[in-house]
Amino acid sequence: MKKLISLLLVLFLFTLTAYADYDFPDDNLSNVREIPRESLKYEKFTENGKWGMTKYGEVIIPAMWDELGSDNRPSYPPYQDFSLVAVRDGNRWGAVNEKGEIIIPAIYKEVLLQPRTKDRFEIRVQDFNDKYGFIDYNGKIIVDFKYDYCESVFIDGMCVVGRDFGYTVIDKSGNELMSLIPDMLSYYNGTFVAKNESGSYILDKNGNLLFKGDYDEIYTTAVHTAVVIKDKKQGLIDFDGNILLPPKYNSVYFSKEKNVYYASDDFYDYYFDINLNLIKE
């Protein structure tokens, strides 16, 4: 017992000596800050009712904005670490870079930033006439503000837009690729699909009709076939309208990665090869 007490006393004295030898900072301990975790690399802060941003605790965007959007950090040059941050001044939006420099003046009703990639250089904006257009990451207008409806991003270099009570598709230069049609367009694997009272149909990017049929919904796959829905059941057709799988399944799906069709009903899952031969059930 005496040996145990002696050992505890030695440990206590060692700890006390180490504590006494530690050189604490002279300033208040509340000013001591830990090295931020990577997840806290960028932090928003507020000061006098305005918002700014820090990077590892250092102010990079002064607290001068009424609202500060999330930062985007794409992995492509020239913004290896940081792209743009949406900022609001009153009711007007713009964007600044990591140095707090104004890249897009706060003159828009909406600025929708997406993470920049090597093939995405455009930002959707809305002006105070409620018209949509696109600008690049330097604030230059690349698609004029004339659309009442506009998808958020370009996919495969194309974007669905709407004006004058119709819909069309534009490229990244603002060229309209097809005539206006009255039905909302959705993009799937290089084609556009729409529906109206008479059924669903498929168009190519220039507006040429590829298929029209009496289905409630239609979704094209990557191999020139289409999943169709009729009375809440799904099947598969080709663009000539030939039924490849009858619309009797709860779901039908094509995996581009595995080159396999999947289908399921209330009892089984089915797997078909690219030629619709049953692989397994």
Side-chain angles (χ1 to χ4, degrees):
M1 184 68 180
K2 290 182 179 181
K3 289 184 178 180
L4 178 60
I5 294 174
S6 298
L7 178 60
L8 292 174
L9 182 60
V10 169
L11 290 174
F12 172 77
L13 292 174
F14 177 81
T15 303
L16 184 62
T17 302
Y19 183 88
D21 288 342
Y22 183 79
D23 186 19
F24 282 95
D26 295 330
D27 50 355
N28 192 291
L29 287 179
S30 63
N31 294 326
V32 178
R33 84 172 48 180
E34 297 177 357
I35 299 175
R37 300 189 304 270
E38 177 64 24
S39 61
L40 299 179
K41 183 174 184 177
Y42 295 101
E43 292 185 274
K44 293 190 291 186
F45 72 96
T46 183
E47 186 176 283
N48 299 322
K50 300 291 185 178
W51 286 93
M53 182 175 285
T54 63
K55 179 180 180 180
Y56 289 135
E58 299 295 327
V59 174
I60 56 174
I61 299 176
M64 57 181 287
W65 301 102
D66 294 311
E67 192 171 346
L68 194 68
S70 299
D71 60 294
N72 296 310
R73 283 167 280 174
S75 58
Y76 297 96
Y79 304 106
Q80 288 288 348
D81 189 51
F82 190 94
S83 182
L84 297 178
V85 178
V87 292
R88 179 172 62 83
D89 181 14
N91 66 341
R92 298 175 180 271
W93 283 89
V96 299
N97 64 13
E98 184 174 354
K99 298 178 181 179
E101 298 168 338
I102 296 174
I103 304 301
I104 300 172
I107 59 175
Y108 297 107
K109 185 174 182 178
E110 176 189 274
V111 172
L112 181 61
L113 292 175
Q114 301 284 349
R116 182 178 180 179
T117 66
K118 61 182 178 181
D119 58 354
R120 180 184 293 144
F121 57 83
E122 69 287 329
I123 301 165
R124 193 189 75 178
V125 293
Q126 184 184 35
D127 66 15
F128 279 87
N129 293 317
D130 292 326
K131 300 295 185 181
Y132 291 100
F134 284 94
I135 60 178
D136 66 17
Y137 272 67
N138 295 312
K140 179 182 176 182
I141 296 174
I142 55 178
V143 175
D144 289 333
F145 305 103
K146 61 180 181 180
Y147 295 105
D148 304 303
Y149 171 84
C150 185
E151 294 286 348
S152 59
V153 295
F154 284 81
I155 301 177
D156 295 336
M158 296 176 290
C159 180
V160 175
V161 294
R163 65 171 177 83
D164 303 325
F165 305 102
Y167 298 91
T168 184
V169 179
I170 60 173
D171 62 20
K172 289 192 176 187
S173 296
N175 300 309
E176 295 186 1
L177 304 180
M178 65 175 70
S179 301
L180 291 176
I181 65 169
D183 306 314
M184 169 65 78
L185 293 164
S186 298
Y187 178 74
Y188 294 100
N189 297 296
T191 63
F192 295 87
V193 301
K195 65 178 182 178
N196 52 34
E197 296 80 4
S198 62
S200 298
Y201 57 98
I202 305 171
L203 303 174
D204 67 16
K205 68 178 184 179
N206 299 121
N208 299 310
L209 182 66
L210 301 178
F211 170 79
K212 186 172 184 178
D214 184 20
Y215 294 104
D216 302 324
E217 302 281 349
I218 191 166
Y219 308 96
T220 58
T221 72
V223 288
H224 214 68
T225 59
V227 175
V228 292
I229 301 176
K230 183 70 173 178
D231 299 327
K232 298 182 179 180
K233 291 295 183 178
Q234 300 187 19
L236 188 75
I237 64 169
D238 62 23
F239 286 3
D240 293 322
N242 299 311
I243 295 176
L244 306 178
L245 292 175
K248 65 177 185 179
Y249 300 95
N250 296 332
S251 65
V252 175
Y253 171 74
F254 176 72
S255 171
K256 184 178 179 181
E257 293 76 18
K258 297 183 179 180
N259 220 29
V260 168
Y261 289 98
Y262 300 92
S264 65
D265 57 22
D266 293 333
F267 304 101
Y268 299 102
D269 294 326
Y270 305 89
Y271 300 84
F272 302 91
D273 65 18
I274 193 66
N275 297 312
L276 275 304
N277 297 310
L278 183 64
I279 300 173
K280 69 175 182 177
E281 178 181 312

